[in-house]
Amino acid sequence: MDSVLRAVNRVSQIAALAGDTQVGSETGGSSMPSLARQLPKIVVVGGQSSGKSSVLEAVVGRDFLPRGTGIVTRRPLELQLETAADPNAREYGEFGHNPGQKYYDFEEIRKEIEAETMRHTQKRGTIVSPVPITLRIVSPNLPALSMVDMPGLTKVPIDGQPKSIVVELENMARDYVKHENVIILAVTPANADLATSDALRLAREVDPTGERTVGVLTKLDIMDPGTNCRDVLEGMTYQLRNGWIGVVNRGQADINSRMSMQDARAKEMGFFNKSDYAGLKNVGTGHLAADLSEKLVASVRRQLPNISGFVNKSIMDLQRELEAMGGPAATSRGEMIHLVLTLCRKFETAFAKLIDGGKGGGELILTVFEKRLPDSIEKQPFKKILEVAYVKRVIEEADGIQPHLVAPEAGYRRMLEEALGYLKDPCEKSVEEVFVLLRRMVDNIANSDDVRALRRYPTLRREIVTAAYRSLEAFKEDTRKMVNIMVEMERNYITAEYFRSLQMGKMPDGKVMYTLDGRPVTEEPEGSPEEKHYKRIINQVSGYVREICQQMTQTVPKAIVHCMVLQSKEKLLEGMSASVAGDQEAALKRLLGEDDAVMKRREALTHKLDMLRRAQAELTTVDAEGFPAAAAVLQRAGFAAQPEAASKPFYAVPEGHQHSDLSDPACNIALSRRKDVTLREDVRLTVKGEQKTLGELLKGQKAIVFGVPDCGKVCSETHVPGYLAAWDDLRRLGVTRLLCVAVGDAAAADAWASKLGAGVADGSKVTVAADTNGAFTRFMGMDQGPVDGPGARSLRYAAVVDDGTLLKVCVDKTPAEASASSAALMIAVIKAMH
């Protein structure tokens, strides 16, 4: 178990370095998940001068805590004791606020605690602070423990302390001990009235059932003559569920004479053996350390699956939020250039998609081409120049002193040039309209979810929009020039073949030409011979203009698409991308300046994610299947291990199985001992967020209920897959339900079920149920934690339950095995039952 506690302590260090403490996160705010609150630890509470710090020093075996009167401990001290692998290793301390520096002199550790406390409280302008100091002590002679020394509680402020100090200290202690994963070490001096103990009052408030509270009586050696606390230690008065432990700390004279801890422990046990407390087992610092180690091991066993589930779920949730904000911030020049170019590409892709997507994009441009351009051309004042008097004047002026002989060619050209000149305005107007639409699309994209990552970079967003505007302006100017050239080309050159077509009233391909008002060009006009002559010219000019107008409605959109729309799709931010590639780091940082609120949140998310990933890496190194005993470490430290612990089996004996041989894979339950598990209506399991009674899950079913000790490798790769593979065989034997029970958090169990895939995630073959408080596991007798431990961790087992009645149980020897509880063996058991 040392390796597991060492990993949990390491996770605690990581959390502390990230500003994540038991009372919240300094960097993340209340909306951030707190890892520190999930970690099992022992929190020492008591009144000022009750002996809390002396108890801790006695456990560690070193003098390293500040001493004095009044409030000596002014910040919580998270003490992580770690067993060195080498029994000859030199012990040292390492602070969370100064990682990497090892302190081999414990007097220096004391001075650093005082100095760091002073630095922090002066910065905050307060006497006390809830932000902890983290100290890791590595020694071959220490049990693996995680303890927190809290500032002492007080009833009245003294020494110029503010009136609020009483409430501050109590609230600080309450914030630490209120969490279910905390073991409360309530320290009370024996020479004071236990009924007024602040530690006991606070413990009863947050732990009314007493499952998490261990009482410690100090100063037994300085009680009034003729009095003792033996009745308390024996559980006769002031009873606690976990009992009391009596200790005698060093007196001031012992400290002044530099009495060693070994001598102090010998003196302590000498006092108990020769006093009114002779014969008691629950006395002495050695017993306290052994008892705390056992309880912490049980707490870690219970919490480890929950911690892993919490870390995994928190990483997924925070990663999802960070990705929604655009991911972590870039820091180096290369990363910043890559980020800017990536966002530019996303913008261009979204812009092109909008153009091609129709509604709100290409659809609007198509409206310009198919309706607004033809309508605009049609509204041009062609009729003004197609009147007899006007045509006569133009032809006469064009002929000059040499009247035309056959056809007024010069007059034709002048009239066509003037009429086709009217096309310039609607063509340019179409260019402008498409330009406005493209600009509007740029604005829409800038505010769309397609590029929501830009919201965190307002400066970059403005620069991208501005660069897009500049590109569109350039494309518009090129397009305007193009359509003007197209108009001028039609005005400036008329082919001879076209001119002959005018005379004949037919296009070169034989198609009849019509005038602007829809009459055939060859239609014979009315009026005098002169009027007829000019009206024929008008019809011919009108027919030619009509053909060119129709032609321009086809070619101008092509020019606009080629010169502006396609160019904007392909090269909208080309100039900006080229410019960014040459920017220096300062310019890039300015470009990637974030909104303050977004920046702070993103930094907090990145910080927290880094911490959780490091914690995840530590937890994955833990061999959760094996829990080596810590007895050897306790003995090296001079602590007496409980003599009865060695004789206990590492697994519990299930109720009704006292006379069964658990080494036999199939443990038959005698007829007189069979029980209907559905009668326990108070026991519930959680399936996909809903609490279910045992009756709802098992009544009317022929079920195999199998328990997993955690959601680790053996469970995920061997145990559950074995039942999935045997599903059809089990169904043929009449099995209607496979129920997998995991002790721990319901959300973690659901997440694990999802990872196992089809047949488990949907519950169609294996139903995963969370035993959130361990009640079902204890009821089945499958709790492998200590008998008096605070929580449950399941054995690996499988049971046959027919219509709610428990018939057979198969129990594996160790959690690392999945043989006795395997699907193959259960098939054999069910066949034998038939």
Side-chain angles (χ1 to χ4, degrees):
M1 194 62 199
D2 292 343
S3 63
V4 181
L5 287 175
R6 186 159 50 246
V8 171
N9 281 350
R10 177 61 184 151
V11 170
S12 180
Q13 280 184 294
I14 293 169
L17 286 172
D20 184 353
T21 68
Q22 189 80 13
V23 292
S25 172
E26 286 189 298
T27 58
S30 59
S31 62
M32 287 288 188
S34 174
L35 176 59
R37 294 175 187 169
Q38 311 300 317
L39 303 178
K41 53 176 63 70
I42 301 162
V43 177
V44 187
V45 294
Q48 293 179 16
S49 302
S50 62
K52 297 183 292 72
S53 298
S54 295
V55 168
L56 282 177
E57 287 187 332
V59 171
V60 175
R62 290 284 190 172
D63 293 320
F64 65 98
L65 296 174
R67 295 186 175 277
T69 58
I71 306 178
V72 178
T73 303
R74 294 191 285 140
R75 290 176 63 184
L77 176 66
E78 293 195 358
L79 185 62
Q80 298 162 357
L81 306 184
E82 186 174 315
T83 307
D86 183 0
N88 299 315
R90 186 180 178 187
E91 57 187 5
Y92 66 89
E94 183 179 1
F95 287 96
H97 63 268
N98 197 6
Q101 181 173 345
K102 296 180 179 180
Y103 293 79
Y104 295 97
D105 186 342
F106 280 77
E107 182 61 31
E108 292 299 317
I109 290 178
R110 185 206 310 274
K111 292 178 180 178
E112 181 58 26
I113 292 174
E114 293 174 342
E116 175 60 17
T117 299
M118 186 65 67
R119 284 192 294 266
H120 182 76
T121 53
Q122 285 182 346
K123 183 178 179 181
R124 296 179 87 243
T126 58
I127 293 178
V128 296
S129 169
V131 180
I133 296 174
T134 303
L135 173 60
R136 170 173 166 255
I137 296 179
V138 182
S139 171
N141 301 318
L142 287 177
L145 291 174
S146 181
M147 308 178 75
V148 183
D149 185 21
M150 297 298 299
L153 303 172
T154 185
K155 291 183 172 62
V156 293
I158 58 174
D159 299 333
Q161 298 168 357
K163 294 181 180 180
S164 62
I165 194 69
V166 177
V167 177
E168 284 185 51
L169 293 172
E170 184 164 323
N171 288 341
M172 188 190 308
R174 185 179 291 105
D175 283 339
Y176 269 83
V177 299
K178 67 183 180 182
H179 303 290
E180 291 297 322
N181 59 322
V182 167
I183 298 171
I184 306 169
L185 197 64
V187 178
T188 302
N191 60 349
D193 186 357
L194 294 183
T196 63
S197 169
D198 291 321
L200 290 179
R201 175 182 55 80
L202 185 60
R204 288 195 185 102
E205 178 185 330
V206 299
D207 179 31
T209 62
E211 291 185 1
R212 301 187 288 116
T213 303
V214 178
V216 177
L217 280 176
T218 61
K219 304 187 179 182
L220 292 165
D221 55 331
I222 59 173
M223 295 183 68
D224 292 337
T227 63
N228 62 59
C229 281
R230 187 178 180 106
D231 58 340
V232 177
L233 293 173
E234 289 181 334
M236 305 297 292
T237 60
Y238 296 100
Q239 293 181 354
L240 291 178
R241 184 167 182 170
N242 292 312
W244 289 85
I245 299 173
V247 298
V248 173
N249 298 320
R250 292 177 302 163
Q252 190 59 48
D254 298 330
I255 295 171
N256 293 339
S257 64
R258 299 186 177 277
M259 177 184 288
S260 68
M261 286 296 179
Q262 289 76 13
D263 291 342
R265 289 175 189 146
K267 180 181 177 181
E268 177 189 36
M269 294 312 299
F271 167 80
F272 284 122
N273 292 332
K274 297 177 182 180
S275 64
D276 296 334
Y277 306 101
L280 292 178
K281 294 183 179 180
N282 55 327
V283 294
T285 304
H287 178 83
L288 174 63
D291 187 69
L292 291 180
S293 180
E294 184 176 323
K295 284 181 169 58
L296 189 61
V297 165
S299 182
V300 169
R301 277 175 168 163
R302 183 183 75 246
Q303 290 293 325
L304 196 59
N306 293 350
I307 295 170
S308 297
F310 171 84
V311 169
N312 295 336
K313 183 177 183 300
S314 297
I315 287 175
M316 288 189 293
D317 291 344
L318 296 183
Q319 183 66 44
R320 192 177 301 115
E321 182 180 353
L322 188 61
E323 288 174 356
M325 298 176 68
T331 53
S332 68
R333 179 176 178 272
E335 288 177 341
M336 287 188 284
I337 290 176
H338 176 73
L339 175 60
V340 173
L341 295 179
T342 299
L343 293 175
C344 286
R345 280 195 300 274
K346 285 185 177 180
F347 193 97
E348 289 179 310
T349 301
F351 180 79
K353 181 180 177 183
L354 182 59
I355 290 176
D356 294 335
K359 189 174 182 179
E363 180 185 66
L364 299 177
I365 295 175
L366 189 62
T367 300
V368 173
F369 295 156
E370 294 187 347
K371 180 171 178 54
R372 302 180 72 171
L373 175 61
D375 289 349
S376 181
I377 290 176
E378 187 177 343
K379 292 177 182 179
Q380 296 306 305
F382 296 116
K383 290 184 179 180
K384 184 179 72 173
I385 62 172
L386 297 177
E387 295 177 353
V388 173
Y390 186 80
V391 171
K392 179 181 178 181
R393 182 172 60 83
V394 170
I395 289 176
E396 289 175 348
E397 290 177 354
D399 285 347
I401 61 172
Q402 296 289 335
H404 59 271
L405 299 177
V406 180
E409 181 177 339
Y412 274 114
R413 291 187 182 278
R414 186 171 295 183
M415 290 177 63
L416 288 173
E417 286 179 6
E418 186 174 354
L420 295 178
Y422 286 128
L423 294 178
K424 180 178 179 181
D425 182 66
C427 290
E428 286 190 342
K429 186 177 179 182
S430 295
V431 173
E432 185 66 30
E433 287 176 346
V434 173
F435 166 75
V436 170
L437 290 176
L438 292 175
R439 275 190 55 141
R440 191 179 303 164
M441 283 185 252
V442 167
D443 294 335
N444 291 341
I445 293 300
N447 295 312
S448 72
D449 286 340
D450 291 333
V451 291
R452 58 182 176 272
L454 276 177
R455 295 173 189 169
R456 63 187 274 203
Y457 305 117
T459 303
L460 177 60
R461 179 179 174 276
R462 287 194 301 270
E463 289 290 335
I464 285 179
V465 171
T466 302
Y469 285 173
R470 283 198 300 266
S471 296
L472 291 178
E473 286 282 358
F475 300 148
K476 181 188 76 171
E477 184 60 24
D478 291 342
T479 308
R480 188 187 63 79
K481 291 178 180 178
M482 172 62 74
V483 298
N484 283 337
I485 290 173
M486 292 169 62
V487 172
E488 292 301 316
M489 286 167 57
E490 296 296 340
R491 291 181 65 202
N492 296 334
Y493 185 77
I494 300 173
T495 63
E497 188 175 7
Y498 248 88
F499 190 76
R500 287 191 292 270
S501 298
L502 287 174
Q503 304 295 321
M504 298 174 60
K506 292 184 179 181
M507 295 292 290
D509 58 2
K511 186 178 72 172
V512 176
M513 296 176 68
Y514 292 89
T515 63
L516 288 168
D517 54 8
R519 293 177 293 105
V521 170
T522 56
E523 182 182 86
E524 184 64 27
E526 297 179 352
S528 65
E530 184 181 25
E531 288 178 341
K532 289 182 179 181
H533 172 67
Y534 288 120
K535 286 182 179 180
R536 290 190 192 99
I537 294 174
I538 289 172
N539 287 347
Q540 293 166 359
V541 170
S542 178
Y544 185 80
V545 171
R546 184 177 187 271
E547 292 297 326
I548 298 303
C549 288
Q550 289 181 344
Q551 180 179 312
M552 294 298 282
T553 58
Q554 299 297 318
T555 56
V556 168
K558 293 179 181 179
I560 294 174
V561 169
H562 177 75
C563 296
M564 185 158 57
V565 178
L566 290 182
Q567 292 297 310
S568 64
K569 281 179 61 177
E570 297 172 1
K571 301 179 180 179
L572 185 68
L573 298 175
E574 186 178 61
M576 180 175 179
S577 299
S579 173
V580 165
D583 281 349
Q584 297 304 310
E585 192 167 326
L588 292 168
K589 285 183 177 179
R590 180 195 63 79
L591 202 60
L592 292 174
E594 294 182 89
D595 174 78
D596 286 344
V598 175
M599 179 177 63
K600 289 179 181 178
R601 180 65 180 175
R602 193 265 310 149
E603 288 178 349
L605 287 170
T606 304
H607 191 67
K608 180 70 73 172
L609 264 175
D610 178 65
M611 180 265 287
L612 289 171
R613 287 193 181 111
R614 291 165 62 196
Q616 186 183 52
E618 289 293 332
L619 291 171
T620 56
T621 64
V622 176
D623 180 12
E625 302 287 357
F627 295 92
V633 177
L634 293 170
Q635 291 175 356
R636 285 207 307 267
F639 298 149
Q642 295 180 352
E644 67 273 15
S647 62
K648 291 181 181 178
F650 91 96
Y651 49 78
V653 179
E655 181 184 351
H657 295 243
Q658 287 82 356
H659 303 291
S660 300
D661 181 8
L662 287 184
S663 63
D664 190 331
C667 178
N668 298 323
I669 302 175
L671 288 173
S672 60
R673 290 177 183 158
R674 291 179 178 177
K675 55 185 178 182
D676 186 346
V677 297
T678 65
L679 296 177
R680 284 294 300 270
E681 295 183 357
D682 59 313
V683 176
R684 284 171 165 74
L685 296 173
T686 304
V687 178
K688 293 186 177 179
E690 294 185 12
Q691 287 196 342
K692 301 282 188 180
T693 65
L694 300 182
E696 290 174 316
L697 291 169
L698 300 173
K699 204 67 178 174
Q701 305 275 353
K702 185 170 184 179
I704 294 178
V705 180
F706 62 100
V708 293
D710 50 48
C711 302
K713 186 175 181 180
V714 175
C715 307
S716 301
E717 297 182 3
T718 304
H719 206 184
V720 176
Y723 278 96
L724 289 174
W727 170 251
D728 292 334
D729 294 334
L730 290 166
R731 294 282 288 180
R732 282 192 285 270
L733 292 173
V735 175
T736 58
R737 165 153 284 174
L738 296 176
L739 185 64
C740 175
V741 180
V743 179
D745 180 67
D750 289 343
W752 178 59
S754 297
K755 291 181 180 179
L756 292 175
V760 182
D762 56 5
S764 60
K765 294 181 180 179
V766 177
T767 301
V768 174
D771 186 11
T772 55
N773 58 5
F776 177 77
T777 302
R778 285 190 290 270
F779 169 55
M780 291 287 289
M782 294 297 161
D783 177 8
Q784 68 164 310
V787 176
D788 57 349
R793 183 173 183 269
S794 178
L795 291 164
R796 193 181 297 281
Y797 68 92
V800 179
V801 182
D802 192 356
D803 194 20
T805 301
L806 182 64
L807 300 181
K808 291 181 181 286
V809 176
C810 301
V811 186
D812 279 300
K813 292 291 187 63
T814 69
E817 298 177 11
S819 54
S821 62
S822 67
L825 193 116
M826 292 306 293
I827 289 174
V829 167
I830 293 175
K831 287 181 178 178
M833 292 173 65
H834 289 301

